[in-house]
Amino acid sequence: MEGHEVVVIGAGIAGLAATAALVDRGVDVVCVEARDRPGGRLLSAGPLDLGATWFWPGERRVRDLVERTGIAVFDQHLTGDAVYESPTAVNRVKGNSIDVPAFRYVDGAASLATALATKVPLRFGAPVTAVSADPAGLRVTTSEAVFRAQHVIMAVPPALAVSFAGDALSPELMRLAAKTPVWMGAVTKVVVRYAEPFWREQGLAGAAISMVGPLREIHDMSGPGGNPAALFGFAVGEVSAQAAVAQLVRLYGNRAASPEQVHIQDWSREPWTSPPDVHARADYSWFGHPLYTRPAADGRLHWASTETATAFAGHVEGALAASVRAVAATTGNR
């Protein structure tokens, strides 16, 4: 059994930020992660994001992090007209009322996680099977080892914690966690890469809303200057590459029929992100609930996922804010 001051569960951006902050404070900490990679819902195929994509003006914690780590960012492409697909027609809409000013990461959002992961003690391939409390502290059992800790930071969606943390959580917290949705946990993201951003030549922004699908909302995911060129869309449920490309042909013409690559990421099938009944959890009013801001297990267990943030819940900014709160509660601001 290993002993640490703090065990952080989950190496998504919240868990990595919390672990890095604790390392900076001289705390004996380890972060355990079920996957064999850092980042959680920050997942990129090269510069193309299969998970989190944007951050927005006013999100100072993300801005501070990209500046500290030297990660290059650029403005989301906004210029051009939008497209609206009804059940009977495809219509061009003057201007782009779908997108808003936002920033993207030149090397993909996963570069945030990679930058932090190099600075912290991490154990990959170690899914947590139980968290239990006793008078001496908290015990975290993984598939690989058992850890004893004075504090635990739960940096995973609360809905996932239900399966392993029942011995450390009150019945009230268990009920709350069981009904809290996983942000983007039921979404399938489709990213289609092209040789060039041909829609821009047509004066289109690459932004679309569809009442037909399978992609219900579409955006330009091209890199700086349109390189690499890509469109992406959100769907719910299973999506085939053939169906997604066929829809893009309807919206943008025959040049959309020849993609270089199609990436499909169904987050509802990610066991370390979404519980089996993720589609049934749809009440986002539980995000940032006051119980998530209070330490549990006699002050030793702390929440730090974006779902528990009181502001910017669902964003990377919310995850970072939740991690700051958890670190302060763990260390007493030392």
Side-chain angles (χ1 to χ4, degrees):
M1 182 183 297
E2 293 186 33
H4 298 276
E5 287 183 70
V6 182
V7 172
V8 178
I9 299 175
I13 193 62
L16 291 169
T19 306
L22 290 168
V23 168
D24 288 344
R25 288 164 172 76
V27 175
D28 174 20
V29 58
V30 65
C31 179
V32 295
E33 166 57 43
R35 294 179 171 93
D36 60 0
R37 63 168 180 86
R41 283 168 281 181
L42 273 63
L43 174 63
S44 305
L48 303 178
D49 289 316
L50 307 183
T53 300
W54 299 291
F55 73 99
W56 289 267
E59 296 190 332
R60 61 178 179 81
R61 291 180 181 86
V62 185
R63 173 60 69 179
D64 289 347
L65 180 57
V66 299
E67 290 177 354
R68 291 199 312 271
T69 54
I71 289 173
V73 300
F74 65 103
D75 292 339
Q76 168 69 26
H77 177 75
L78 302 175
T79 305
D81 293 338
V83 174
Y84 174 74
E85 183 180 32
S86 74
T88 58
V90 174
N91 296 298
R92 182 168 179 152
V93 180
K94 186 172 179 58
N96 179 5
S97 61
I98 298 171
D99 289 317
V100 298
F103 306 105
R104 300 253 312 283
Y105 311 91
V106 170
D107 294 320
S111 60
L112 277 179
T114 301
L116 289 177
T118 60
K119 303 176 181 179
V120 301
L122 272 166
R123 305 291 178 85
F124 291 118
V128 174
T129 58
V131 177
S132 56
D134 60 41
L138 294 173
R139 183 191 299 256
V140 177
T141 303
T142 76
S143 61
E144 301 297 321
V146 178
F147 301 87
R148 170 74 70 182
Q150 297 172 26
H151 294 271
V152 167
I153 293 178
M154 198 81 74
V156 296
L160 282 186
V162 170
S163 65
F164 61 77
D167 290 342
L169 301 178
S170 67
E172 186 180 15
L173 257 177
M174 284 288 285
R175 287 191 294 270
L176 173 62
K179 59 191 177 186
T180 301
V182 176
W183 180 252
M184 302 302 286
V187 168
T188 298
K189 189 169 183 178
V190 180
V191 180
V192 184
R193 180 170 179 165
Y194 292 98
E196 55 189 357
F198 56 84
W199 53 94
R200 296 186 185 181
E201 299 172 12
Q202 304 167 28
L204 294 172
I209 296 294
S210 172
M211 303 302 293
V212 179
L215 306 179
R216 299 292 179 171
E217 178 184 329
I218 296 167
H219 304 272
D220 187 315
M221 191 183 266
S222 304
N227 184 32
L231 294 166
F232 84 94
F234 296 113
V236 176
E238 188 172 347
V239 181
S240 71
Q242 181 180 9
V245 171
Q247 180 183 8
L248 295 178
V249 170
R250 294 197 307 268
L251 300 181
Y252 297 108
N254 289 333
R255 292 178 72 183
S258 303
E260 293 184 336
Q261 291 177 305
V262 179
H263 302 277
I264 299 176
Q265 177 65 30
D266 184 348
W267 286 101
S268 72
R269 294 178 179 271
E270 287 284 327
W272 311 124
T273 295
S274 303
D277 61 344
V278 66
H279 291 281
R281 304 168 194 241
D283 187 352
Y284 294 92
S285 68
W286 299 114
F287 281 6
H289 190 280
L291 278 180
Y292 289 134
T293 68
R294 304 169 196 158
D298 295 325
R300 295 175 295 183
L301 188 146
H302 316 271
W303 295 96
S305 75
T306 192
E307 291 84 2
T308 69
T310 57
F312 303 101
H315 294 193
V316 172
E317 180 76 4
L320 295 177
S323 74
V324 169
R325 183 190 67 232
V327 168
T330 301
T331 63
N333 291 306
R334 80 185 192 206

